[in-house]
Amino acid sequence: MNVTIVGCSGSFAGPRSPASSYLVRAEHEGRTWSVVLDLGSGALGALQRHIEPYAVDAILLSHLHVDHCIDMCGLYVMMRYVPGGPGRSAMPVWGPPGTAVHLARAYGGRESEDVLGVFDFHDLRHRDPVTIGPFTITPVRVNHPLEAYGFRVEAGGRVLGYTGDTDTCDQLTELMTGADLVLADSAFVDGRDTVTGIHLSGSRAAEAAVRAGGVRRLMLTHIPAWNDPEVCRKQASEVWPGEVELAEPGETYCL
């Protein structure tokens, strides 16, 4: 299994990276399977450097803030109007309840039935695994102002933990335990951002990974353009016993 950082900028697309989007791939039964975790602002363009977007096997949306889902509107256009058709049936999409109506309204008020002709929507439910080819993806409800999930992705004996957007919560332990790689929200900076219940800081991400146990690699992501990533890394390094990695847009990491 490998993961490509399509976009890792927090809250909005930055000058170096689109907002949140991660392409996860694994070999199974003679072909490469691919899922996309989130498709935030600016991500659809960057995704095309790595795969034809309408060839993706499934998309999972952690929550419905624009920096995690808004480029689904562009994908709708691509799927509906690509010359000759996308060559496939409706694309499976998992998201919080109400995702279909939310995206239809975001596109411009069109009826959700039209969107449903392009996408096949399913509701995420806490701890209810989703199976796509070789992937078993378990959504875990996390600590954010609206319904939001992290994803524990398992394939070929490897585990990817993706926190989505969250502050500290007990559920991060089940999301991260034994993970080969954790992609951890690190939007906040200790000593500056004091509001709770929205995002992790580097130190709180590291604390969650240490508490979970068995995490091999910790990688900080969702860092807004106004943050210095090295500050986030330093705060995490004061807690995490190993190397703290920073997600780099366009890079692919093998688990």
Side-chain angles (χ1 to χ4, degrees):
M1 178 165 57
N2 64 59
V3 56
T4 298
I5 312 299
V6 178
C8 55
S9 183
S11 302
F12 54 92
R16 293 185 58 248
S17 174
S20 295
S21 187
Y22 307 90
L23 172 63
V24 186
R25 290 176 284 198
E27 299 298 319
H28 180 62
E29 296 182 343
R31 77 170 180 93
T32 302
W33 290 73
S34 58
V35 297
V36 169
L37 309 179
D38 288 334
L39 196 65
S41 41
L44 182 61
L47 181 63
Q48 293 172 71
R49 299 177 193 143
H50 307 285
I51 193 172
E52 290 289 357
Y54 44 80
V56 167
D57 290 293
I59 295 177
L60 289 90
L61 302 175
S62 65
H63 65 292
L64 297 179
H65 278 152
V66 295
D67 60 319
H68 291 257
C69 74
I70 199 61
D71 270 27
M72 291 293 294
C73 295
L75 181 59
Y76 164 78
V77 174
M78 178 181 286
M79 293 281 291
R80 183 169 176 81
Y81 297 109
V82 60
R88 60 166 301 158
S89 56
M91 180 179 290
V93 177
W94 277 263
T99 294
V101 172
H102 179 87
L103 293 177
R105 289 173 177 167
Y107 180 69
R110 298 183 68 114
E111 294 297 321
S112 60
E113 287 78 7
D114 194 26
V115 176
L116 286 167
V118 171
F119 300 121
D120 179 18
F121 287 99
H122 307 268
D123 289 345
L124 291 171
R125 302 193 185 282
H126 181 49
R127 296 180 178 142
D128 187 3
V130 174
T131 301
I132 304 153
F135 299 106
T136 299
I137 304 172
T138 304
V140 178
R141 184 76 181 264
V142 291
N143 183 12
H144 202 53
L146 77 173
E147 185 170 348
Y149 296 87
F151 297 123
R152 183 178 173 90
V153 184
E154 300 175 70
R158 299 295 185 178
V159 178
L160 168 69
Y162 168 51
T163 68
D165 285 7
T166 184
D167 200 349
T168 301
C169 58
D170 291 341
Q171 293 90 322
L172 290 177
T173 295
E174 61 187 283
L175 187 73
M176 295 181 177
T177 297
D180 295 281
L181 174 66
V182 167
L183 288 168
D185 173 14
S186 185
F188 279 2
V189 172
D190 293 330
R192 184 195 70 189
D193 302 304
T194 57
V195 64
T196 60
I198 302 178
H199 293 294
L200 294 166
S201 64
S203 68
R204 294 204 295 275
E207 287 167 357
V210 169
R211 188 163 49 247
V215 175
R216 291 181 56 236
R217 297 169 65 186
L218 175 65
M219 184 176 291
L220 305 184
T221 190
H222 199 272
I223 298 177
W226 56 51
N227 282 3
D228 180 347
E230 291 302 328
V231 170
C232 300
R233 191 207 300 261
K234 180 178 183 297
Q235 292 184 346
S237 296
E238 292 171 355
V239 178
W240 183 246
E243 178 188 3
V244 176
E245 301 177 64
L246 298 174
E248 290 292 336
E251 292 295 319
T252 296
Y253 303 94
C254 296
L255 278 66

